[in-house]
Each structure stands twice: as structure tokens, then as C-alpha cells.
Amino acid sequence: MIAQGHRGMHQFCPRHGLSQLHLASENRRYTEEAMTLFREIAAALLAACALCAQPADSGQKTNNLASFETVWTTIRDKHWEPKPGGLDWNAIHAEYRPKVEAAKSTSEVREILREMLGRLKQTHFGIFPSDVYESAGGDGIPAGSASIGIDIRVLDGEAVVTRVDPESPAEKAGVRTGWVISKIEGKEIASSIDRLLKAFKDSLSLDLITSRGVLTQLQGPDSEPVRITFIDASGQPREMSIARAEPRGQVAKFGNLPGMHVWLETKKVRGSEYVAFNMFFDPPRLIGGFGDAVSSCMKCDGLIIDLRGNPGGIGGMAMGMAGWLIDKKDQRLGTMLMRNTQMKFVVYPRVETFRGPIAVLIDGASASTSEIFAGGLKDLGRARIFGTRSAGAALPSIITKLPNGDGFQYAQANYISEGGKPLEGIGVFPDEEVKLTKQALLAGHDTVLEAALEWIDRSKKK
């Protein structure tokens, strides 16, 4: 999540529900969440494999020691707890500095730093190799991010297509939901999925890691085709060569952050308004579009907000969007805790708000700001949550480059929901757990959406 320490909520913008000062400050200290997640997954995939040890020369040894000091000092100075993770951080320095000095390779130093960060027992802290950092785009836009326009989830060990974007190369090629991806460029993907399932079986972010792990293999340069073998509804293999295209949505820039493709989808479904978007980014257009959708449907039977697969983004946008849904003053979604201050996610009600039933759809790939938004509405009794438990990855984090070239991710704040519980490592629990199945998708059914619509229908009859 992108978020910033609260220095006051001056220059409040009624249209967007956000402080202009807050938005400006966010871009100075935090990186964009979707970029973070792609880097996390690239790092996780590489960490699951054996790393080749490369001898470190004297110059690299110096850089490795400088990298250790950078990581240790950053945690000491920027972690939200004076004793990070309840640890004596000076003692940690005394324990790990000799290990780094004795290390014979950069990969060995990398593992030592990962072990040290692991003592915190918190997500959004990690080290990943320089080639992963650079291949993920370093400090810029990721290279080769064109796609075929699908989303997938690993269901019962299979990479199942859960969404086909309208007008995408995949839709034009005839790809359907429920189809299974079995090969990419002629290579079976079952074994790599199985390794991830085993390596991260205890992680709440398993859905996020596995789905992004498959999707990144489908990405590449614009217009360049990718060869995919699908298993269709009849169980037969279909090999297709599908040319990639720029991702769905419009490119948005925010401050110095890299440009990101952002899309918003709205439609009427059985008397209710359905709203989905891929990330909390592009505040003027996304919050404006969300508000227009809600305003146009004040008398609708219900409102459905689909956050499945949404990795988060700019934290303050959750407050602005919630203002269309909550009519009481002095309500908040939760509180972000930093070393020397805290920021309360206060909701500013609009002149007119939607008062009907609200359903929020989440899954294991809903993270960060998505969790803040869904969890806050649930705690305030303003929405019913459908789907599966979210990723439990709510900490705002930064990616930076170390002196030895490796990437370093660290979080600077903790987040407590309005219900008094941390979201990190716990996630948001749905009120009604509903799982997607390959069989339902093949039949054209979205079981999560249908459960939400049934609840709205029952609410209407009361």
C-alpha cells in the first residue's frame, strides 16, 4: 500500500475526498503497491529455487557490508516500533555483522540478510537479487509488461482462467473462463505451480503468489505472441499463439511514481450496480468514476464492489471512496501506526450517499488498500463481505536498491482496522465464504458474485 505519515488533512478536496497535501506527500516516501507485489513474487519465485553461489571480490565484499549496514540502519530508524519485532536491534547487529564479514559470496550475504529480516516475523521485508530488481523495472516501468488480457487463479493445483478482459487478445482468440493453462511456450507449468504450493502452503499470500507467478510468465513485449496450451471445456488441449497487447485501461501517473494501466468497470446486474477496478491508483479518474457510478444508482437494489485480485495502491483513496457509502461523520476505516505519529483513515461523507446494501467481493489476491477498504466497511457494519480470506498483506512498503545491487523491501508502518485487529498476517475474513470452481466457471457462473446478488435480493424483501 502507498500511504504517508499524517501531517494534517489541510486542503481537503471535496470531489476526491482526499487531502491534496496528503496525496502530494505520499509519492515522496512510498512506492506503488502493484509494482511491489510483482517484485515480491519475482523474488519469491527465485527464492524457491537453488541460488548459485558467486564468489565475492574485495569490492563486492565492501558493497555487501555496506548493504548489511543499510538494511540494519533502515530497520532501526524507520520501523514503526522502537524495538522492531520486539527485538534488541543492537544485539541483532552484533550477531549478524560477523556472519556477513565471513560470507564468501553475494548469494550467501543475501540469505543472511533474509534470515535477519525473518526474525521480524512480518511481511513486506525482503531481499532479492539485482537481476530480479532490474528485470522488474528497477525504479521505473517494468519491461515487457504487455499481456493477453486474462486473470487466473490456481484452483486445485490448476491455473484456471477466471476473467477474460473485453476486447483483449485472449477474448478475440476465443479463450473462455474455466479453461486451464497447461503449457506456456511449450513448457508444462504444473511442476512450477506445485513447487510454489508447497513452498508457500502456510502463507496467506499463496493465491497472490501463485496467480502472479503464472501471469508474469505470460507477459512480454507488446505485439509479440506467446504460445499457450489451454485445456478447454471438453478436456481437450488447444494450443494458441496469442499476440500480447498493452494492458487494459489508461496509463496513469502520480507524482514520481511509474505509469500504471488503470481500469474501472461498471455495469448494472439484476437491479444492482457492479463496480470493479484493478488497483487503487489514478485518484482523480478512479474516484470520480466510482462516485459517478454510485450517484447514478442511488435507488438501485444494491451495490457490489469487486476487489478480487486488486493488490491495493494509494491508501488514502480508501477514505475518499468510502465517503460515498457512509453517511455518518467521524467514522474511520482504521489507523496506520508509524514511529512518531499515526494516521487515522477518517471517512468524509458526501452530501448524498448510497444507503442500500453493499457487498464487497474479495479473495486471496486482494491486498493492502483493498483490505483496508473491505475490512473498514465490514467493521463499520456497512458492507457484507463475500469470497475467500484476503492476502493479509497490509503494510505500506518501499523498494530500494542496496550498494551491492540487490533490492531491499521494507515496511514503515502498521495498520490496525477499526475493529481493533491488525490486518497484516491475518487478512479480512468474508462474512460468506464462497469459492470459485472450475466447473462453475466453465458453465459461465461466478459463484461469488451470484452469492452477493442473492443476499441483496433477500435484503430487498425484508
Side-chain angles (χ1 to χ4, degrees):
M1 173 187 60
I2 306 169
Q4 167 65 26
H6 179 57
R7 299 174 184 272
M9 295 294 289
H10 307 294
Q11 302 180 37
F12 180 77
C13 175
R15 167 72 170 163
H16 302 142
L18 296 170
S19 159
Q20 298 303 305
L21 177 61
H22 174 61
L23 286 177
S25 63
E26 282 182 326
N27 113 73
R28 290 197 299 269
R29 290 178 53 192
Y30 288 85
T31 189
E32 192 277 319
E33 176 70 8
M35 293 280 292
T36 294
L37 291 171
F38 278 116
R39 289 166 177 153
E40 282 182 338
I41 287 142
L45 287 166
L46 196 56
C49 304
L51 294 173
C52 297
Q54 298 178 343
D57 57 25
S58 58
Q60 192 65 3
K61 276 184 168 291
T62 300
N63 289 334
N64 284 337
L65 281 171
S67 297
F68 165 78
E69 292 296 339
T70 297
V71 171
W72 180 85
T73 302
T74 298
I75 301 301
R76 181 196 65 186
D77 295 343
K78 299 193 174 183
H79 196 278
W80 59 94
E81 298 171 329
K83 294 183 67 174
L87 302 169
D88 181 338
W89 205 239
N90 288 322
I92 291 291
H93 186 282
E95 177 182 350
Y96 281 92
R97 168 85 188 201
K99 293 182 180 182
V100 174
E101 291 174 338
K104 297 179 180 179
S105 68
T106 299
S107 60
E108 187 177 345
V109 170
R110 189 178 302 129
E111 293 308 309
I112 292 168
L113 293 178
R114 285 174 174 163
E115 178 187 318
M116 181 177 77
L117 292 174
R119 299 277 287 274
L120 294 170
K121 300 187 185 304
Q122 293 162 340
T123 66
H124 289 61
F125 291 91
I127 305 292
F128 44 93
S130 57
D131 58 342
V132 173
Y133 179 80
E134 297 301 333
S135 67
D139 296 317
I141 301 173
S145 60
S147 70
I148 66 168
I150 64 172
D151 198 5
I152 71 101
R153 291 293 181 275
V154 173
L155 307 175
D156 297 323
E158 296 180 313
V160 180
V161 177
T162 56
R163 188 189 73 234
V164 180
D165 292 338
E167 302 299 319
S168 66
E171 184 186 62
K172 293 175 182 178
V175 177
R176 298 288 181 264
T177 58
W179 285 16
V180 174
I181 298 175
S182 65
K183 297 180 182 179
I184 299 176
E185 298 293 357
K187 296 181 181 179
E188 298 277 358
I189 67 170
S191 58
S192 62
I193 290 175
D194 186 58
R195 284 196 299 272
L196 286 172
L197 290 172
K198 289 178 179 177
F200 299 96
K201 62 184 175 62
D202 297 323
S203 172
L204 277 185
S205 299
L206 179 63
D207 285 351
L208 189 62
I209 292 170
T210 53
S211 62
R212 298 301 178 187
V214 174
L215 289 171
T216 51
Q217 295 180 58
L218 296 173
Q219 292 180 327
D222 186 15
S223 301
E224 184 175 296
V226 56
R227 187 161 47 97
I228 311 168
T229 300
F230 294 95
I231 306 299
D232 65 15
S234 63
Q236 298 302 309
R238 289 199 190 191
E239 184 174 305
M240 297 179 170
S241 181
I242 303 177
R244 303 178 179 97
E246 283 298 303
R248 177 185 181 188
Q250 298 181 27
V251 176
K253 289 281 293 180
F254 182 72
N256 295 324
L257 300 178
M260 302 296 294
H261 286 82
V262 181
W263 56 261
L264 169 71
E265 176 184 347
T266 64
K267 60 185 178 182
K268 298 292 189 298
V269 183
R270 273 170 39 186
S272 293
E273 181 78 359
Y274 171 90
V275 181
F277 48 97
N278 63 324
M279 65 180 70
F280 286 81
F281 202 65
D282 192 4
R285 190 170 63 85
L286 185 58
I287 295 181
F290 180 84
D292 290 343
V294 175
S295 295
S296 70
C297 206
M298 287 294 181
K299 296 185 187 238
C300 283
D301 294 339
L303 176 65
I304 299 169
I305 304 170
D306 193 345
L307 299 179
R308 290 175 293 178
N310 189 318
I314 300 173
M317 290 179 65
M319 294 182 280
M321 297 172 88
W324 292 101
L325 314 174
I326 296 171
D327 58 3
K328 295 180 181 178
K329 295 182 179 180
D330 301 321
Q331 300 291 294
R332 62 187 183 189
L333 303 175
T335 303
M336 184 175 294
L337 306 176
M338 289 149 279
R339 175 69 67 89
N340 297 314
T341 188
Q342 59 180 245
M343 185 181 81
K344 299 182 188 301
F345 277 61
V346 178
V347 177
Y348 295 88
R350 309 294 169 147
V351 174
E352 187 179 11
T353 59
F354 181 78
R355 301 194 179 190
I358 299 171
V360 178
L361 315 185
I362 63 171
D363 64 9
S366 305
S368 189
T369 307
S370 290
E371 297 180 280
I372 288 172
F373 186 79
L377 291 180
K378 178 182 178 180
D379 287 348
L380 293 172
R382 191 60 194 94
R384 189 165 182 81
I385 314 299
F386 295 82
T388 55
R389 182 160 44 152
S390 64
L395 301 187
S397 64
I398 287 177
I399 296 283
T400 189
K401 190 173 184 178
L402 293 172
N404 66 2
D406 278 359
F408 169 39
Q409 180 187 12
Y410 63 95
Q412 295 192 94
N414 196 12
Y415 185 85
I416 305 298
S417 73
E418 188 59 13
K421 295 180 180 179
L423 293 177
E424 180 65 23
I426 296 175
V428 178
F429 286 84
D431 296 297
E432 291 190 30
E433 184 176 31
V434 187
K435 297 181 179 180
L436 290 176
T437 67
K438 181 176 70 173
Q439 292 72 23
L441 289 166
L442 287 170
H445 294 294
D446 183 337
T447 51
V448 183
L449 175 59
E450 289 173 359
L453 287 167
E454 289 172 6
W455 170 71
I456 290 173
D457 287 342
R458 293 195 304 270
S459 301
K460 182 174 59 174
K461 295 175 182 178
K462 291 181 180 179

